[in-house]
Amino acid sequence: MTSIDRVTFGELADGTGIEKWTLTNANGMSVSVLTWGATIQSALVPDRDGRLANVTLGFADLAGYTDPAYLAGNPFFGSTVGRYANRIGGGSFTLDGETFKLSQNEGQVTLHGGSHGFDQRVWTAEQVEDGVRMSYTSADGEQGFPGTLEASVTFTLDERNTLRLDYAATTDRPTVVALTNHAYWNLSGEGSGTAAGHLLRIDAGHYTPVDATLIPTGVIEEVAGTPFDFREFHAIGERVRDEHPQLGIGRGYDHNYVLDAGEGLRTAAVVRDPASGREMTIETTEPGLQFYSGNFLDGKLRGGSGRTYRQGDAFALETQHFPDSPNQPDFPSTVLRPGETYVSTTTHVFTTFA
């Protein structure tokens, strides 16, 4: 049975208290989630020798997450991002003949819901079996999105070292929605240095190339014969500096993978760290996976370990619908209408190998 602990993590400038909920299983693995942004603040996972280390990037106190220097180039450490995860080109979309102008926070692009997205909102928390459910009501027109959205994400931890995230949302007006978690992983431990030697497999034969603003061109290309082919294990840093125009645009990997077809919860990616023996398998019901190799970590931020985060020190694997789907009719739809329920599930299964 997972034990659940709740403590105060700090207060916002207006006096609003932020809670930290920690889930711990019988193996000693624990995951801490904040009501600020429904954020995964830490994940203590055993290595091949049973030693625990925090394998996700984050801060030791609330000040780190609210620091203007952090928010200026927000890397979304561990945050639940929305109302629309990833990018919407031109900061606008048209639905049912009506055009909606959104908050633009990356040039003219809307990234992860805008300048004040779900990552910078206070979520309410309630205990559930083996976990905690975080809920947030996004008002009609917030960041330009139509409809009042009732959103929730439930974090649970079981005895098999599986962290499960179940998302749900309803709306009172036609809208678009895509939620994910933006955890950065380093299976050697947060602050331990580069993750370039981690071995990565992604179960995808295709990806969506991007233009200069990191918006998909609409083309779906095969990964075969390119540095984007991770159908077999490759070190993350093995080909990141290859001469490929797509790697140049993103300063590395920052691309959506079109996961192989399948029903229900299925494997999207597997990551292995030879140094620690930790392995993470990601399963999802989503059609896409954004692989981001931590290209814009620049040493300006210091995490919970007290060490700075530099380029390639961690990576994100964000299960998702495709970027810019509201403007790409050939991509899977992200439209949610009244009477429907958005549901999505992603699991992170932690094991070890010799």
Side-chain angles (χ1 to χ4, degrees), residues 334-352:
T334 54
V335 174
L336 181 68
R337 298 185 181 279
E340 301 175 342
T341 301
Y342 166 93
V343 292
S344 175
T345 297
T346 292
T347 66
H348 297 77
V349 184
F350 294 93
T351 55
T352 59

Side-chain angles (χ1 to χ4, degrees), residues 152-200:
S152 70
V153 54
T154 303
F155 301 83
T156 55
L157 177 65
D158 68 16
E159 300 307 308
R160 296 169 297 172
N161 289 0
T162 299
L163 171 63
R164 180 181 174 114
L165 283 68
D166 288 292
Y167 303 87
T170 58
T171 184
D172 62 359
R173 181 182 175 190
T175 191
V176 296
V177 60
L179 306 177
T180 193
N181 184 273
H182 205 298
Y184 288 67
W185 304 102
N186 184 322
L187 300 184
S188 285
E190 176 267 336
S192 64
T194 182
H198 283 46
L199 303 176
L200 172 64

Side-chain angles (χ1 to χ4, degrees), residues 75-110:
F76 305 93
F77 289 158
S79 302
T80 296
V81 291
R83 175 176 312 194
Y84 195 93
N86 216 303
R87 295 173 173 89
I88 295 179
S92 68
F93 68 94
T94 299
L95 177 59
D96 296 341
E98 185 175 357
T99 298
F100 298 93
K101 299 293 185 180
L102 309 175
S103 165
Q104 299 174 350
N105 57 330
E106 190 180 69
Q108 295 184 335
V109 169
T110 298

Side-chain angles (χ1 to χ4, degrees), residues 308-328:
T308 58
Y309 296 150
R310 300 187 181 277
Q311 186 180 52
D313 280 358
F315 55 89
L317 293 165
E318 305 152 64
T319 55
Q320 61 176 21
H321 266 58
F322 301 174
D324 200 37
S325 289
N327 295 313
Q328 305 270 2

Side-chain angles (χ1 to χ4, degrees), residues 56-351:
T56 191
L57 271 53
F59 301 108
D61 53 37
L62 183 60
Y65 294 96
T66 57
D67 188 320
Y70 170 75
L71 296 176
N74 196 347
F76 305 93
F77 289 158
S79 302
T80 296
V81 291
R83 175 176 312 194
Y84 195 93
N86 216 303
R87 295 173 173 89
I88 295 179
S92 68
F93 68 94
T94 299
L95 177 59
D96 296 341
E98 185 175 357
T99 298
F100 298 93
K101 299 293 185 180
L102 309 175
S103 165
Q104 299 174 350
N105 57 330
E106 190 180 69
Q108 295 184 335
V109 169
T110 298
L111 173 64
H112 294 321
S115 61
H116 201 67
F118 286 8
D119 60 296
Q120 296 176 57
R121 304 289 180 172
V122 180
W123 295 58
T124 59
E126 61 177 321
Q127 183 171 330
V128 298
E129 184 176 359
D130 293 331
V132 59
R133 178 178 296 116
M134 301 274 179
S135 302
Y136 175 67
T137 299
S138 176
D140 182 24
E142 185 175 280
Q143 300 293 282
F145 289 95
T148 300
L149 191 80
E150 301 284 351
S152 70
V153 54
T154 303
F155 301 83
T156 55
L157 177 65
D158 68 16
E159 300 307 308
R160 296 169 297 172
N161 289 0
T162 299
L163 171 63
R164 180 181 174 114
L165 283 68
D166 288 292
Y167 303 87
T170 58
T171 184
D172 62 359
R173 181 182 175 190
T175 191
V176 296
V177 60
L179 306 177
T180 193
N181 184 273
H182 205 298
Y184 288 67
W185 304 102
N186 184 322
L187 300 184
S188 285
E190 176 267 336
S192 64
T194 182
H198 283 46
L199 303 176
L200 172 64
R201 191 192 86 208
I202 300 176
D203 291 356
H206 298 80
Y207 78 110
T208 51
V210 295
D211 63 19
T213 63
L214 296 173
I215 296 296
T217 62
V219 175
I220 294 178
E221 288 192 359
E222 292 187 2
V223 299
T226 77
F228 293 87
D229 190 349
F230 282 91
R231 290 175 296 176
E232 302 292 337
F233 282 103
H234 287 274
I236 288 175
E238 178 183 340
R239 300 165 297 172
V240 73
R241 301 186 188 281
D242 281 10
E243 189 175 347
H244 189 285
Q246 285 292 306
L247 292 175
I249 290 173
R251 298 188 191 178
Y253 298 102
D254 193 3
H255 294 77
N256 170 65
Y257 280 77
V258 180
L259 296 174
D260 294 340
E263 295 295 327
L265 198 63
R266 65 202 188 283
T267 300
V270 181
V271 188
R272 293 175 175 169
D273 173 34
S276 68
R278 294 185 182 93
E279 179 175 294
M280 178 177 68
T281 299
I282 296 178
E283 302 170 323
T284 190
T285 57
E286 289 294 289
L289 178 77
Q290 185 83 8
F291 170 37
Y292 171 56
S293 52
N295 318 323
F296 293 94
L297 297 174
D298 57 8
K300 293 180 180 178
L301 298 174
R302 190 179 303 274
S305 64
R307 305 189 69 189
T308 58
Y309 296 150
R310 300 187 181 277
Q311 186 180 52
D313 280 358
F315 55 89
L317 293 165
E318 305 152 64
T319 55
Q320 61 176 21
H321 266 58
F322 301 174
D324 200 37
S325 289
N327 295 313
Q328 305 270 2
D330 293 334
F331 285 0
S333 175
T334 54
V335 174
L336 181 68
R337 298 185 181 279
E340 301 175 342
T341 301
Y342 166 93
V343 292
S344 175
T345 297
T346 292
T347 66
H348 297 77
V349 184
F350 294 93
T351 55

Side-chain angles (χ1 to χ4, degrees), residues 27-46:
N27 306 315
M29 177 178 168
S30 68
V31 177
S32 294
V33 185
L34 308 177
T35 53
W36 176 249
T39 295
I40 297 176
Q41 183 254 348
S42 71
L44 292 171
V45 178

